[in-house]
Amino acid sequence: MKNIKTDKGKILFIGIGNCGRMDDGIGWEFADKVSQLHLKKTDCEYRYQLQVEDVLLVCSFDKIIFADASHTSLKDGFELKPCTAASHYYFSSHLQSPETILYLAKELYNKMPEAYTLAIEGQNWG
């Protein structure tokens, strides 16, 4: 197994969604707001959906926050939860869960960044 080196303290925000579909773009909007803060050791990425190619990306960071819109009504309008590795691989290279991305990072590269999912309540879907 490879062990990819990271700089200590690097954080990656991944905004998931589609800004062309109203509130489905909330994850991207969140990433935009974080990016505008110009925080050191912080990067933002935008994805329509997670793919196996994202495994190598997350290996370069110590912390990952996967931000996505939620159809569910959430207390305070959002929910931040720890995200742990799980091996429920979808049989498509074009749709993977945050848990699967973390599982593959651990299995393929011996990397296990601290990770969270941020669900942000949406109202208007198009």
Side-chain angles (χ1 to χ4, degrees):
M1 285 190 229
K2 295 180 181 180
N3 191 351
I4 297 170
K5 183 179 179 182
T6 63
D7 292 332
K8 290 289 182 196
K10 286 180 66 175
I11 302 172
L12 174 64
F13 291 87
I14 300 179
I16 303 167
N18 183 342
C19 63
R21 296 183 60 215
M22 301 174 78
D23 281 354
D24 189 41
I26 288 175
W28 287 21
E29 182 69 23
F30 179 80
D32 281 345
K33 297 296 183 196
V34 171
S35 183
Q36 292 169 7
L37 296 173
H38 303 288
L39 302 170
K40 292 182 180 182
K41 293 192 174 192
T42 300
D43 287 328
C44 295
E45 291 287 334
Y46 302 81
R47 297 290 187 269
Y48 286 106
Q49 54 200 3
L50 295 172
Q51 301 179 41
V52 294
E53 292 87 349
D54 294 316
V55 173
L56 190 57
L57 173 67
V58 303
C59 288
S60 299
F61 292 86
D62 290 321
K63 292 183 184 176
I64 314 294
I65 298 176
F66 299 95
D68 199 359
S70 173
H71 288 273
T72 305
S73 178
L74 301 169
K75 182 181 178 187
D76 300 320
F78 71 94
E79 182 178 62
L80 181 67
K81 296 190 321 187
C83 183
T84 56
S87 64
H88 47 77
Y89 182 79
Y90 297 100
F91 294 102
S92 168
S93 62
H94 299 290
L95 173 63
Q96 300 303 321
S97 69
E99 294 84 1
T100 299
I101 298 298
L102 294 175
Y103 172 80
L104 292 172
K106 181 180 178 186
E107 291 298 308
L108 297 174
Y109 299 104
N110 198 30
K111 294 296 292 185
M112 193 59 207
E114 183 179 342
Y116 300 88
T117 56
L118 175 62
I120 305 170
E121 182 179 329
Q123 301 291 324
N124 300 309
W125 309 92

